Amino acid sequence: MRTVIFRSIAPYLTSLMVLFSVFVLLRGHNEPGGGFIGGLIAASALAIYGIACGVAPVRRAIYFHPMAIAAFGLFMAAMAGVLSVFAGVPYMSGLWIYPQIFGAEVALSSVLVFDVGVYLVVVGAISSIALALEERDRD
Amino acid sequence: MSAAAPGATFIVLMLPFLAAVVAPWLTRRLGHNAAWLLALAPLAIFIHFLGFAAEVADGGIVTGGFQWVPSYNVSFSWLIDGLSLTFAILISGIGTLIILYSGGYLKGHAQLGRFFSFMLLFMGAMLGVVISDSFLMLFVYWELTSITSFLLIGFDHTREASRRAAVQALVVTGGGGLALLAGLLVIWNITGVTQLSLLLNYGDELRASPFYLLALFLVLGGAFSKSAQFPLHFWLPNAMEAPTPVSAYLHSATMVKAGVYLLMRLNPVLGETVWWETILPVFGGATLIVGTLLAIRQTDLKLMLAYTTVSSLGLLVMLTGFGSEHAVAAAVLYLVAHSLFKGGLFMVAGLIDHEAGTRDVTRLGGLRKAMPVTFFAAIAAAISMAGLPPFFGFLAKEEIYYALWATDIWSLAFVAVAVIGNGLMFVIGFAVAIKPFLGPAVKTPKAAHEGPVLLWLGPLTLSLAALAAALVSPLTHRFISSPMASAVAGAPEEVTISLIPHMGPALILSIVTVIFGIIAYRMLDRLRAGMASLLAAIGWGPDRGFDQFVSGLVRLSVSLTRILQPGRLDIYMTVTFLMIAAALIGPMAWYGEWPAVPVWPDDVQFHELVVIAIGVIGLLAVLYARDRLIAIVSLGVQGFAVALIFMLFGAPDLSFTQFMVETLAVVILALVMTRLKLHASDHRPTLQKLFDMSVSLACGIGFTLYLIAVTQQPFNTALSEFFAAYSKVVAHGTNVVNVILVDFRGTDTLGEIAVVMVAGLAILALIRIRTPRARVADNDPDGIAVADQTAEAR
């Protein structure tokens, strides 16, 4: 699998896929996409990088342990629901704010935070499995 | 008075728990003298509950509390009447003395703070049991007493015997607690009330219910296990592995009486039936006799007392269920008397052990000069236990005979049981209180001398209390006995017995008991030898039975695990797919709801046919693939075809996800397959292949039929319309699928991603296991034990 062409292209492909996954995540509320699909794309991106260049560079690149990323995502998703406590509405009610950033109105919501949490859980869990499986060669 | 304020009672109920929190800290600061400060907590509780005495004596019932889970009609509420008040006073009063005693007994022990903490926790739990009005609260506190008892029995956790005793007590009493919960739920379902105070009005309804027996047996399961009734008595003597303050407090004065409390509490509603008045006296009487006979056998002071505690509990159960007018009064008097003298005697036993270094009655003697105060306390307690005047035990015993005496066979049998039981308890009482003190001085492991005030204060106070309670019996009856007897009987009742003996059958029976006791005392050594050889001849007891039960359970679970988890992946897969096929086809065959043969639609486009053809080609490629890797990739082709179909029929999100899942599935499956080091090609025998093929065909056909059946049902559009209408308006999103996932059904998604996370962790753990394959394959606990040893050796 570790052909020169694959190894040369893999980093660019991975970067593009991760970028695309974030795009898919963010557009998810109105267009096809969302945290789950975005997470799957990012996980496959990391899997490709791992197959092409080995697991160690991937682990270095994502810095945190993939399971830690997943756990943080789960925590984030749960906390997104807790936010509604401060608004005095039931758990998991969507909350929206529309701040002006550089003159453009940006819709931010607890729902978005939740979706990012879903994204991180999927990326973390899937890539941790994939990376652990790819590590076979080393031992 | 202010004690009636609900807030104060709530604080008092929480006070032991607060004291338990600060106990370790205080003990680090003050050492064993922390006992003086910690004893203030139970003392405050004692005083608080004394404040209710006047109101309760006049027939008042104090209830209070607040809503806990209103939707289930569960409240945190308490009920203070004669029964619970007497228990609360005993628990807090004896508790005060026990905390002080613990300070002296475990002076200098490294874990003294922890011990105080456990004791106070138990005290809070036990108070909760007797004060609870709501069923659920009663159950929670009930199990909490089992748990704290477990902690205290296992306090000396480095010894195997105490660990075993702790687990045994927890299994028996905790299991009984579960039966109690079920019983309370049944009662709740019959009557519709969740509070003991309201239950009193539903006695007739309960007794007439077809589920009365079920409720009765379940409640008795709880009460008999907690109060150590034969044949569940074995855990109580084993619980003597605990330090002596625990034995004195939990396993004689309070916790083991929880079962009796429950029976007394439910007597007005469950009692007065043939079942109640047969089961309770028979089991109670059997426990009484078995307990005293086993007590005769023992030479350890604590074990002698433990077995007489078993028999006293039997006597209490017998009286509670006897049903005659005076039996309730007798039970009440005996309960109070027993708490006073047995708590005191246990503390004396601990004191002797502490000062002389042994509890073996055959190695003790002549301590009266060295320990005069202890001797006095012991004699006083033993006189009360023997039922001699002028102590409270005398009143109790007179009332017992008065209650039991009648000339029919049934009553005479129980009179005989009571005389034998009381006579043998007379023997044990004096064997504990006299043997170590009188006679020639015997050399003991430690040079005995009088213990510190912390140690003798408790037994002395209890003995004097038993004396005082008898001397001012009209006062005792007014504030303690009569209100409690009224609560147990469910109707006003007056206890009048006093120290002045009346000529009659009761007095004659008392004299018979004393004569029998004196004769038996003189023959004690011979009786002991006789019992020892008898028990050796029987050879089996419930204690051994418990071990056999536990090891049988372990063996059962091992063999069951071997069947359910053989460790072969192909068996798991086959079973899973067979179940899927059965679940899909079974109901359709059972109800004859086969779907109609679908009609081929007219408007099938060419490109749709092409996509279907790609899927079929993928499947054929799987079947004809030369090695596994090609098969996996071919399966991916079929998956992509399905994703395309989703796309064509307007589900972009689904299609998108399907593409990603298929891709990742192929990658991960390929990685797993290379890791498993399997043969590249399939080499199953033909028969196996045929079988696997049938299973997969059954699954496939099942799914196909199921989907056809589902799509032939009329489609309910209510949900799609709702989401289409509100997705944008309420949740500010136009992608309905995503809005459902993250907003409308966000909590579902949270659960799902938690599952993804946990599954990831589990898979990671599986991949990381670095053990030889042989042991993973068969779940042999011995193999793991061997591996652990080798790991330690390394």
Side-chain angles (χ1 to χ4, degrees):
Chain A
M1 293 280 255
R2 295 195 180 176
T3 59
V4 178
I5 298 173
F6 190 33
R7 256 189 300 172
S8 320
I9 289 180
Y12 301 102
L13 193 59
T14 303
S15 327
L16 269 177
M17 283 175 81
V18 170
L19 200 64
F20 182 62
S21 77
V22 174
F23 166 70
V24 166
L25 161 70
L26 292 179
R27 80 200 278 257
H29 214 59
N30 293 314
E31 308 285 331
F36 193 75
I37 304 170
L40 288 176
I41 296 172
S44 14
L46 295 177
I48 287 173
Y49 193 36
I51 292 170
C53 310
V55 174
V58 183
R59 290 205 189 279
R60 264 203 308 281
I62 58 176
Y63 190 76
F64 296 105
H65 190 282
M67 261 308 155
I69 295 176
F72 181 73
L74 188 58
F75 178 74
M76 204 167 149
M79 284 305 119
V82 173
L83 278 180
S84 55
V85 167
F86 301 106
V89 287
Y91 184 66
M92 280 287 181
S93 302
L95 301 172
W96 293 78
I97 48 169
Y98 301 94
Q100 297 283 333
I101 297 176
F102 301 123
E105 190 185 83
V106 180
L108 294 177
S109 63
S110 64
V111 174
L112 182 66
V113 177
F114 183 82
D115 219 7
V116 174
V118 173
Y119 173 89
L120 291 178
V121 170
V122 174
V123 179
I126 306 282
S127 57
S128 117
I129 298 167
L131 291 179
L133 285 169
E134 286 167 16
E135 250 165 350
R136 175 185 59 98
D137 300 328
R138 221 178 47 182
D139 48 53
Chain B
M1 71 174 282
S2 66
T9 301
F10 180 71
I11 292 169
V12 155
L13 282 178
M14 293 299 128
L15 194 58
F17 297 107
L18 296 178
V21 171
V22 299
W25 179 79
L26 264 184
T27 311
R28 255 202 310 281
R29 285 292 175 86
L30 302 173
H32 74 282
N33 284 321
W36 293 106
L37 271 180
L38 289 172
L40 291 178
L43 189 65
I45 300 167
F46 182 68
I47 292 168
H48 175 80
F49 280 113
L50 278 187
F52 288 107
E55 190 180 348
V56 170
D58 294 332
I61 291 176
V62 184
T63 55
F66 48 85
Q67 289 287 314
W68 188 1
V69 188
S71 48
Y72 285 104
N73 196 16
V74 172
S75 57
F76 186 96
S77 54
W78 52 84
L79 159 70
I80 302 171
D81 61 355
L83 178 58
S84 43
L85 184 64
T86 305
F87 264 97
I89 287 176
L90 283 175
I91 292 163
S92 53
I94 299 179
T96 311
L97 299 171
I98 286 287
I99 292 292
L100 294 176
Y101 183 81
S102 309
Y105 190 80
L106 289 174
K107 179 179 171 183
H109 193 288
Q111 303 292 352
L112 180 60
R114 180 189 293 179
F115 186 77
F116 278 136
S117 202
F118 289 167
M119 281 300 245
L120 289 161
L121 278 180
F122 165 75
M123 191 184 297
M126 190 64 209
L127 265 180
V129 168
V130 299
I131 293 296
S132 292
D133 192 14
S134 112
F135 289 174
L136 190 69
M137 190 174 146
L138 173 70
F139 169 73
V140 169
Y141 277 124
W142 180 283
E143 291 294 49
L144 195 55
T145 59
S146 294
I147 293 167
T148 44
S149 155
F150 165 80
L151 292 173
L152 283 166
I153 297 171
F155 179 69
D156 192 2
H157 57 84
T158 51
R159 281 187 316 122
E160 197 195 341
S162 45
R163 290 201 303 270
R164 173 177 178 267
V167 170
Q168 191 182 52
L170 185 68
V171 169
V172 175
T173 61
L178 293 182
L180 171 66
L181 175 65
L184 291 175
L185 290 178
V186 171
I187 293 178
W188 177 25
N189 267 302
I190 296 173
T191 62
V193 296
T194 59
Q195 281 170 329
L196 293 166
S197 51
L198 300 176
L199 193 61
L200 284 178
N201 309 323
Y202 290 87
D204 292 329
E205 205 176 329
L206 200 55
R207 281 187 285 262
S209 160
F211 297 107
Y212 166 76
L213 270 188
L214 179 65
L216 178 68
F217 287 148
L218 288 170
V219 167
L220 289 184
F224 280 10
S225 61
K226 197 78 161 183
S227 280
Q229 294 300 297
F230 181 80
L232 295 175
H233 64 278
F234 54 87
W235 70 266
L236 183 54
N238 288 336
M240 295 301 129
E241 296 293 339
T244 305
V246 178
S247 312
Y249 191 43
L250 274 72
H251 304 124
S252 75
T254 58
M255 185 184 95
V256 289
K257 294 213 173 70
V260 176
Y261 164 81
L262 186 71
L263 296 178
M264 289 180 158
R265 175 59 81 199
L266 294 176
N267 181 45
V269 286
L270 288 178
E272 291 169 28
T273 63
V274 178
W275 286 95
W276 180 269
E277 291 180 359
T278 309
I279 298 176
L280 262 65
V282 167
F283 274 90
T287 310
L288 172 60
I289 294 297
V290 169
T292 45
L293 289 178
L294 292 173
I296 293 287
R297 156 79 187 85
Q298 304 300 327
T299 56
D300 182 327
L301 291 178
K302 269 179 81 176
L303 282 178
M304 292 160 80
L305 291 173
Y307 279 109
T308 57
T309 305
V310 170
S311 50
S312 299
L313 293 167
L315 180 57
L316 284 170
V317 169
M318 178 176 124
L319 290 169
T320 307
F322 200 70
S324 89
E325 281 174 30
H326 284 270
V328 164
V332 164
L333 291 174
Y334 189 73
L335 189 140
V336 176
H338 179 260
S339 291
L340 296 178
F341 70 67
K342 193 57 69 66
L345 279 178
F346 262 113
M347 288 198 250
V348 166
L351 190 44
I352 294 173
D353 187 18
H354 195 261
E355 297 304 325
T358 178
R359 306 194 293 255
D360 189 337
V361 75
T362 57
R363 294 168 60 199
L364 288 164
L367 289 174
R368 70 182 177 285
K369 287 235 175 62
M371 306 171 74
V373 184
T374 313
F375 180 48
F376 175 75
I379 284 289
I383 292 174
S384 190
M385 179 167 171
L388 297 176
F391 286 86
F392 203 63
F394 172 71
L395 302 186
K397 201 184 55 175
E398 290 298 290
E399 190 76 23
I400 291 170
Y401 288 141
Y402 196 68
L404 293 179
W405 178 255
T407 45
D408 57 305
I409 302 276
W410 174 259
S411 302
L412 281 178
F414 282 103
V415 167
V417 166
V419 168
I420 296 172
N422 274 331
L424 292 176
M425 279 201 261
F426 177 101
V427 176
I428 304 294
F430 281 109
V432 171
I434 291 186
K435 273 269 166 73
F437 295 101
L438 296 186
V442 175
K443 190 164 164 44
T444 50
K446 274 159 77 176
H449 53 79
E450 191 58 78
V453 58
L454 275 172
L455 282 179
W456 54 253
L457 186 65
L460 190 66
T461 312
L462 289 183
S463 298
L464 294 179
L467 181 62
L471 290 178
V472 293
S473 59
L475 268 180
T476 317
H477 294 330
R478 174 163 153 64
F479 287 109
I480 300 283
S481 323
S482 297
M484 182 167 166
S486 308
V488 176
E493 193 157 321
E494 194 83 23
V495 182
T496 52
I497 191 145
S498 72
L499 278 176
I500 303 148
H502 298 276
M503 270 317 285
L507 192 64
I508 294 168
L509 286 172
S510 277
I511 294 166
V512 172
T513 308
V514 171
I515 294 169
F516 171 67
I518 292 172
I519 296 171
Y521 183 79
R522 300 192 74 90
M523 295 165 55
L524 182 57
D525 289 336
R526 251 188 293 163
L527 280 176
R528 182 179 293 146
M531 272 313 290
S533 53
L534 179 65
L535 287 178
I538 296 173
W540 186 90
D543 190 33
R544 175 106 47 96
F546 176 83
D547 283 345
Q548 288 164 345
F549 171 73
V550 170
S551 60
L553 214 56
V554 171
R555 269 203 299 279
L556 177 73
S557 78
V558 168
S559 51
L560 204 63
T561 310
R562 286 223 170 104
I563 294 168
L564 293 180
Q565 308 265 322
R568 291 190 51 139
L569 201 56
D570 50 349
I571 294 179
Y572 295 162
M573 300 282 278
T574 309
V575 170
T576 309
F577 281 108
L578 274 176
M579 286 311 294
I580 291 173
L584 287 170
I585 299 177
M588 283 194 272
W590 185 262
Y591 296 106
E593 291 181 347
W594 301 104
V597 180
V599 187
W600 186 259
D602 303 326
D603 55 344
V604 182
Q605 305 284 314
F606 175 69
H607 60 273
E608 290 165 1
L609 284 175
V610 170
V611 173
I612 292 172
I614 293 174
V616 173
I617 290 169
L619 285 182
L620 289 176
V622 173
L623 292 181
Y624 291 100
R626 262 176 297 111
D627 63 41
R628 289 170 206 277
L629 217 53
I630 293 175
I632 291 167
V633 176
S634 312
L635 204 57
V637 171
Q638 186 265 350
F640 273 31
V642 173
L644 274 177
I645 292 176
F646 287 152
M647 185 76 94
L648 290 177
F649 287 87
D653 277 283
L654 205 52
S655 160
F656 215 158
T657 313
Q658 173 80 7
F659 272 121
M660 291 321 302
V661 168
E662 281 300 332
T663 313
L664 278 169
V666 167
V667 170
I668 289 180
L669 260 179
L671 286 170
V672 170
M673 282 299 166
T674 48
R675 189 175 250 272
L676 283 178
K677 299 188 182 75
L678 298 170
H679 289 278
S681 59
D682 190 350
H683 57 97
R684 283 173 290 182
T686 317
L687 204 65
Q688 178 77 38
K689 272 186 181 166
L690 281 175
F691 178 71
D692 291 351
M693 191 179 76
S694 337
V695 173
S696 70
L697 275 179
C699 273
I701 292 171
F703 266 115
T704 310
L705 290 176
Y706 187 70
L707 284 175
I708 292 174
V710 166
T711 47
Q712 281 174 355
Q713 297 294 319
F715 186 65
N716 184 344
T717 54
L719 279 178
S720 354
E721 278 163 13
F722 169 83
F723 287 125
Y726 290 103
S727 168
K728 181 69 189 165
V729 188
V730 179
H732 311 281
T734 46
N735 178 0
V736 177
V737 175
N738 185 264
V739 168
I740 292 173
L741 278 177
V742 298
D743 202 332
F744 286 123
R745 295 282 166 81
T747 314
D748 282 2
T749 309
L750 184 65
E752 284 153 15
I753 58 175
V755 170
V756 169
M757 162 95 201
V758 171
L761 270 178
I763 294 170
L764 197 60
L766 279 176
I767 297 171
R768 288 284 162 82
I769 289 177
R770 294 267 184 271
T771 43
R773 282 192 56 81
R775 218 177 50 235
V776 182
D778 100 58
N779 292 298
D780 178 15
D782 305 331
I784 288 166
V786 172
D788 287 348
Q789 281 162 13
T790 48
E792 274 168 22
R794 261 182 273 144

